[in-house]
Each structure stands twice: as C-alpha cells, then as structure tokens.
Amino acid sequence: MAQVASGAGEQVSSSRRRWLILALGLAAQTASCSFLYGIPFLVPAMRAAEGLTLAEAGTVVAAPSIGLLFTLIVWGAAADRYGERLIMALGLGVSGLLLVYAGIGNHPVGLLFGVFLAAGACTASVNAASGRVVMGWFAKSERGVAMGIRQTAQPLGVGVAALGLPPLAAHHGFRAAVLLPAGLAIAVALLVAWLVTDPPRPPRVAHSAGASPYRHAALWRVHGASALLVVPQFAVSAFAPVYLVAVQHWSALSAGWYLAVVQVLGALGRLGSGWWSDRVGSRLRPMRVLAVLSCLVMLLVALGDASWPWLVLLALALAGVITVADNGLGFTASAELAGLAWSGRAMGTQNTGQNIAASLTPPLLGLVIGDSRYALAFCVAAVFPALAVLVVPVRAEHQRD
C-alpha cells in the first residue's frame, strides 16, 4: 500500500515538474525572441547614434538571424546527443554574455555585427532544445497544446522588446537597451541549468539510433510544407504595417495597436490548433486544413484590397491568425516522425527551412508589390499554401501510427 502511495506521489510530482519545465522552455524561447526580433526596434536610435544608413543598420539587424540560420541543425544534433538542459543553458547563457559585451563600451559597427552574429548563432540552441524537452515530457495526446504554448514565445518576445527597448534606447542609448535581452537570457539560462530535468531517454540501440528518418520522403515533405506555409505568414507580418499606413491611411500608432491585437489572437490560434491536433490525434490533417484556409484568406485579403476597406481589415485579422496557426503542428510532426533520437536535428532542420523562406519572402514580394500592387502580391502569396496542401504527407502519419 505504501508503495502504491509512493508511486502516485511520484506521478503527481512528475506531472507538476513537466509544466515547470514547459514554462522554463517558454521563458527561454521568449528571451531568445526578445533579442532576435527586438533588435529592429533599436534601428532609429542606432542610426542616430552611429550615423548609419538604413541599409547599414538593416545589415546589423540581420546579423542575429544569419547566425541562427547556420547553427540550428548543429545545436539540434547536440541536444540529441548531450541533452536539453545543457544545450539550452549553454547557448542562451553565452548569447547573454555576448550581448552584455555588446551593450558596454563603444564598439565599432563592424564588431557589433560580429557580436550579434555570434549571439544569434548561440541562441539558436533554444529552438531545438526547448522543443525537444516538450517532446520528451509530454505524451502524444498532450504535445499539441504543449507545443502551442511554447510557440507563443515569439509574440511574447516581440511584446517584451516593443515595450522595453525603445524607452531604454531613448533615455540611455541603444547599446544600453541591448542589456535588457542580455539580462533576460542570462537569468533564464541560470534557471534552466538549475530547474530543468532532461526527459527520460529510451535505451540506446545502435542500429535504430543510427537509422536516419530522412531516408524516407515524409519528413522532407513536412519541412517543405512548413516552409511554403511561412510565405503567407511573413507576407502579412512584413507588409501589413506599411499597407495600413500607405494605402489605408492609418497612423503608425493605430496600425501598431491593430497589429498588436492581431498578434495576440495569433498566439491564441497556435494554442487552438495544438488543442485541435491533440483531439483528433493528428498533426498533419489539421495542418492541411489550415493550408487550405491560409490560401483562401490570402485571396480574401487581395479581394478586400481591390474592393472594400472593411473587408481587407477583416481579412488581414483572419490572416494574422490562420497563417501562424500551423507553426507548432509542423514542429511537432517533424519531431514525432523523426523519433526521439533524431528529434533535435529534425526540429533544427524544420526551423532552418522556415527561416530561409521567411528571409526570402519580404524582398521577393516587395518586387511584386512595387509601388502599389498589393492585391497581386497577396494572390502570389496564396499560391504557396495551395502547394503545401499537396505536399503535406498525411498518409505517412497514419502509417507510422
């Protein structure tokens, strides 16, 4: 009887601990995003302090994303081999220390670019490791919601940066403002090192551990579909602000508040899609439905641009929710198809493909838009989720089950 009570107590403790670990994974990803997506908020102060052109400031701002892109798979492989706690704490901690160095002293812009590049490369550790720890601690029937919670880190990180960085830069300079994401990274890295426990790992079997899931097409197709679905997401996030100001004649402040509300709704949409996938026992069926909806809503945005202002505003709000809702599903499906031994590398590869698509979308769609061809650009963006409908490998998920 005592053994039964002891076992029940351990299960309750383990259940509580996994939610703490999820919260720390969310905090780590939020700290990372406050740096990666927060640096653009410092562009005005950076240009004023250093006398930079917009192109030069844009190059410095792009450095973290470039560093991230080159190290995602490497960090994922390290998480597979050495565990999530070490990799998350190490990468995030070193990133924070690099940002402290960037925030103190008066470094030349070239050196600042290099420091941001290295910090972005280090903070990439969080992307795969925080997702992998969710995979390990949550059962398949709960992973959709758990990963959806983790995916809210991006809007949370952007919110922290939007609220904190501009005032700090205005009063103390942009270098001092960099100490905010630096402090967050170091604090969360210490908490991760202290409180995170790596999930149980199955016994290593040499043959099965070495068998690459990339021998089959299914995982490649998930990565490809996810990259295609990033295009409408970044079409909205990159061009909605300028569209509202330039075409709809909104003030920048009004556009900012509107898009902030849409971003909150988008975070709720990620949670909703995760819950949906848990209920139906599939990641890829909801992902394919969302691809269809993403195509339709982008066409609705184009129609609204060509017809009534109220319609385009409604369509942009819907697009801001629908086009981000699939993100956690792709990550979860990649990890589940890859298996625990390969999940870190799979999520690193998944994130790499998405970041490449995200980087290419604004400049290429910008060429399509030109001066005013927004409706055409939104129609072009609708083509990519339509292709994703054909690419999502729903049958492979059933075969694995």
Side-chain angles (χ1 to χ4, degrees):
M1 189 74 174
Q3 289 179 346
V4 172
S6 175
E10 288 177 0
Q11 288 180 352
V12 171
S13 176
S14 176
S15 177
R16 289 175 178 171
R17 189 165 187 82
R18 65 188 179 144
W19 289 105
L20 171 63
I21 291 170
L22 173 59
L24 289 170
L26 173 63
Q29 193 74 47
T30 300
S32 172
C33 289
S34 72
F35 163 53
L36 290 169
Y37 304 111
I39 295 299
F41 289 103
L42 299 179
V43 166
M46 189 186 303
R47 292 187 66 194
E50 301 292 330
L52 304 179
T53 66
L54 186 59
E56 290 170 338
T59 302
V60 174
V61 165
S65 297
I66 296 171
L68 179 96
L69 193 62
F70 284 113
T71 56
L72 281 165
I73 297 175
V74 175
W75 280 116
D80 288 336
R81 184 173 180 84
Y82 299 110
E84 295 82 357
R85 181 179 69 168
L86 173 64
I87 296 308
M88 244 195 306
L90 178 64
L92 194 59
V94 173
S95 173
L97 292 174
L98 287 168
L99 292 180
V100 169
Y101 175 74
I104 59 176
N106 189 22
H107 312 299
V109 173
L111 179 58
L112 202 60
F113 174 88
V115 173
F116 283 171
L117 184 78
C122 290
T123 200
S125 68
V126 176
N127 290 56
S130 63
R132 200 181 191 287
V133 82
V134 171
M135 289 294 302
W137 277 113
F138 286 83
K140 186 173 182 178
S141 61
E142 304 169 312
R143 287 176 191 155
V145 169
M147 195 68 80
I149 292 172
R150 172 191 174 270
Q151 292 302 106
T152 62
Q154 182 175 343
L156 286 174
V158 173
V160 168
L163 291 173
L165 294 183
L168 284 172
H171 289 92
H172 306 288
F174 81 91
R175 295 180 192 276
V178 172
L179 295 176
L180 173 61
L184 288 174
I186 292 171
V188 175
L190 292 172
L191 288 172
V192 167
W194 178 28
L195 296 172
V196 166
T197 303
D198 289 343
R201 278 172 161 73
R204 277 187 174 272
V205 179
H207 177 71
S208 63
S212 170
Y214 287 100
R215 295 175 303 164
H216 309 291
L219 199 50
W220 290 110
R221 289 177 64 182
V222 172
H223 296 334
S226 296
L228 290 168
L229 288 169
V230 162
V231 175
Q233 176 186 339
F234 275 79
V236 173
S237 64
F239 295 108
V242 66
Y243 175 80
L244 290 172
V245 173
V247 179
Q248 298 297 323
H249 308 296
W250 285 29
S251 69
L253 181 61
S254 299
W257 277 106
Y258 171 83
L259 295 172
V261 172
V262 170
Q263 195 165 55
V264 171
L265 294 175
L268 295 175
R270 295 183 186 204
L271 289 173
S273 64
W275 178 86
W276 176 20
S277 76
D278 285 341
R279 298 288 75 75
V280 301
S282 170
R283 317 300 171 199
L284 298 180
R285 289 205 310 272
M287 186 173 171
R288 185 169 60 181
V289 172
L290 287 168
V292 173
L293 294 176
S294 183
C295 174
L296 294 176
V297 78
M298 293 310 295
L299 293 175
L300 187 63
V301 174
L303 176 62
D305 175 59
S307 56
W308 306 286
W310 65 266
L311 180 59
V312 75
L313 296 178
L314 173 63
L316 278 174
L318 290 173
V321 177
I322 292 170
T323 61
V324 303
D326 65 274
N327 197 266
L329 301 181
F331 270 98
T332 310
S334 293
E336 289 178 343
L337 288 173
L340 187 60
W342 278 77
S343 60
R345 281 163 282 188
M347 284 187 280
T349 304
Q350 167 87 356
N351 207 199
T352 300
Q354 289 182 311
N355 274 278
I356 291 172
S359 300
L360 293 176
T361 296
L364 294 181
L365 279 186
L367 291 176
V368 175
I369 292 171
D371 293 329
S372 59
R373 296 185 296 270
Y374 283 94
L376 175 61
F378 293 138
C379 285
V380 170
V383 172
F384 292 87
L387 294 174
V389 174
L390 304 176
V391 176
V392 176
V394 173
R395 291 183 182 178
E397 190 175 47
H398 294 317
Q399 291 169 0
R400 186 174 179 83
D401 293 339

